[in-house]
Amino acid sequence: MEGLRKAASRVKLKIKSHRGLYVKNEEAVKQHLIGEIFQALGWDWNNPEEVRPEERTEDGRADYALILDGEVFAYVEAKNLGVNVLKRDEPLRQLARYCFNSGVRYGVLTNGAVWIAVKAFEEGSRLRDRVLFTADLENEPLEKAVLKLSLLSKDRIRDLERLASLLRALELSFSGLRREGYPGEALVEYLLSGESPGAVPLTELTGKERPRAAYVHDNGWKLLPLPERSLRGVLLAVLLYIEKTSQGYEREEVRKAYEHLLRVPVSQETALEVLRRIEEEKGLRISVDL
């Protein structure tokens, strides 16, 4: 996901810096914007076994065909940035015709900034009703757009429809609960609560336990992988977490502490004492699953 986020950030910067080029030049949109996103999504953009440009259909040529298991899984239709793909119906209808006449179930329409994924056909439904998601890199939070775009990754696109439905249900539930007066922070905390029901806080440990898992509460519970089943392993995992979330001098000091701990034996009791000190000093909550 981090690679996709960085690619989306670069695409946003390109659009901001060279909007005039992308408004007039569809080929620049394809090469500079669309290609970068799909490569970050795990597609080998220059491999005809995965991506085929100018794919012929009965109604014309689709800009790209995404290939899975030797078959076309989805068509991608590109427009220049001057085309408002959200308001104009014809580009989406054109894409749907390509898909329908070729028996291809899914299509992606994009001008580089706005991305629309659509289910091409379903009896008794209108085209706009079959839109699976719309991601707008310029006009919605980047993390939200990136999460939706991730459904087009090579690893996830087979489950595109199911995942899009789950994401939509999450959005509707979240919005509904907000309207009922629940604060957003409380709902996010609820969703992020990943602590095991059997997890035990540090205050209840004696120093003789052999933990199976560790959790740290920092804007929600997070599961930490253990390098070994011991309180020393918990301490190592917590130090790694703190290093990743720290900067500058503090990060360097935590790294030194981690590397020192790797070289020396540490008793269970000492590891527990250090963990409790970290809880107090860092304002974290640490629990273990036994």
Side-chain angles (χ1 to χ4, degrees):
M1 191 78 79
E2 181 62 19
L4 178 58
R5 189 192 67 78
K6 289 180 179 179
S9 295
R10 289 193 295 268
V11 165
K12 283 188 65 173
L13 181 59
K14 289 178 186 178
I15 292 173
K16 183 177 180 180
S17 301
H18 307 286
R19 178 174 295 275
L21 170 65
Y22 300 127
V23 165
K24 299 176 182 178
N25 193 324
E26 181 180 303
E27 194 61 33
V29 170
K30 292 178 183 178
Q31 293 188 26
H32 299 172
L33 310 182
I34 298 174
E36 176 151 7
I37 293 293
F38 270 109
Q39 287 182 85
L41 286 165
W43 295 91
D44 188 346
W45 201 240
N46 297 311
N47 182 355
E49 293 184 1
E50 292 190 16
V51 182
R52 293 204 295 255
E54 296 296 314
E55 181 79 356
R56 185 185 297 275
T57 75
E58 291 183 10
D59 274 85
R61 292 181 181 272
D63 288 309
Y64 301 100
L66 302 181
I67 313 298
L68 286 176
D69 303 321
E71 302 290 336
V72 178
F73 187 86
Y75 285 136
V76 180
E77 184 65 15
K79 299 297 178 185
N80 66 55
L81 195 58
V83 177
N84 189 331
V85 295
L86 287 173
K87 293 186 176 180
R88 286 184 56 182
D89 285 337
E90 180 51 32
L92 196 60
R93 293 189 181 280
Q94 176 187 10
L95 173 62
R97 287 194 297 271
Y98 291 160
C99 295
F100 183 82
N101 291 328
S102 302
V104 174
R105 193 173 185 84
Y106 301 108
V108 180
L109 173 65
T110 179
N111 60 9
V114 176
W115 295 68
I116 302 173
V118 63
K119 183 179 179 180
F121 44 84
E122 185 177 81
E123 187 174 353
S125 65
R126 298 177 302 176
L127 180 58
R128 285 287 174 180
D129 293 335
R130 298 196 300 274
V131 170
L132 299 174
F133 73 76
T134 298
D136 190 337
L137 293 176
E138 290 193 290
N139 297 304
E140 67 179 329
L142 183 63
E143 296 299 336
K144 186 174 181 179
V146 166
L147 181 59
K148 288 185 281 189
L149 283 175
S150 73
L151 305 190
L152 300 177
S153 71
K154 185 182 174 184
D155 293 335
R156 289 196 172 108
I157 198 169
R158 286 184 175 87
D159 294 318
L160 171 61
E161 195 171 339
R162 180 178 66 85
L163 293 174
S165 177
L166 289 172
L167 190 57
R168 180 59 177 160
L170 175 62
E171 291 178 341
L172 290 173
S173 299
F174 189 87
S175 298
L177 288 166
R178 286 289 301 274
R179 288 194 297 271
E180 293 295 330
Y182 288 92
E185 295 81 2
L187 295 175
V188 171
E189 173 76 10
Y190 176 84
L191 292 173
L192 292 176
S193 295
E195 185 187 24
S196 167
V200 179
L202 293 184
T203 53
E204 297 183 17
L205 300 182
T206 65
K208 298 179 181 179
E209 294 81 4
R210 294 184 68 243
R212 294 184 301 174
Y215 305 86
V216 61
H217 191 282
D218 183 16
N219 294 320
W221 285 105
K222 298 173 176 63
L223 175 64
L224 304 181
L226 294 185
E228 60 184 59
R229 285 195 59 182
S230 67
L231 289 174
R232 176 178 179 272
V234 174
L235 179 55
L236 285 168
V238 170
L239 287 174
L240 272 181
Y241 176 80
I242 295 174
E243 182 196 4
K244 290 178 181 177
T245 55
S246 302
Q247 294 181 344
Y249 176 76
E250 181 184 10
R251 186 170 190 170
E252 294 177 7
E253 290 300 302
V254 173
R255 166 51 64 171
K256 290 178 183 177
Y258 175 82
E259 292 176 347
H260 175 73
L261 186 60
L262 285 175
R263 295 191 299 267
V264 300
V266 176
S267 70
Q268 290 277 83
E269 291 76 11
T270 299
L272 180 57
E273 182 183 345
V274 175
L275 284 167
R276 287 173 175 167
R277 194 181 310 147
I278 289 174
E279 264 196 332
E280 183 178 350
E281 293 177 357
K282 298 294 182 183
L284 299 174
R285 286 157 56 195
I286 303 168
S287 294
V288 298
D289 203 355
L290 302 176

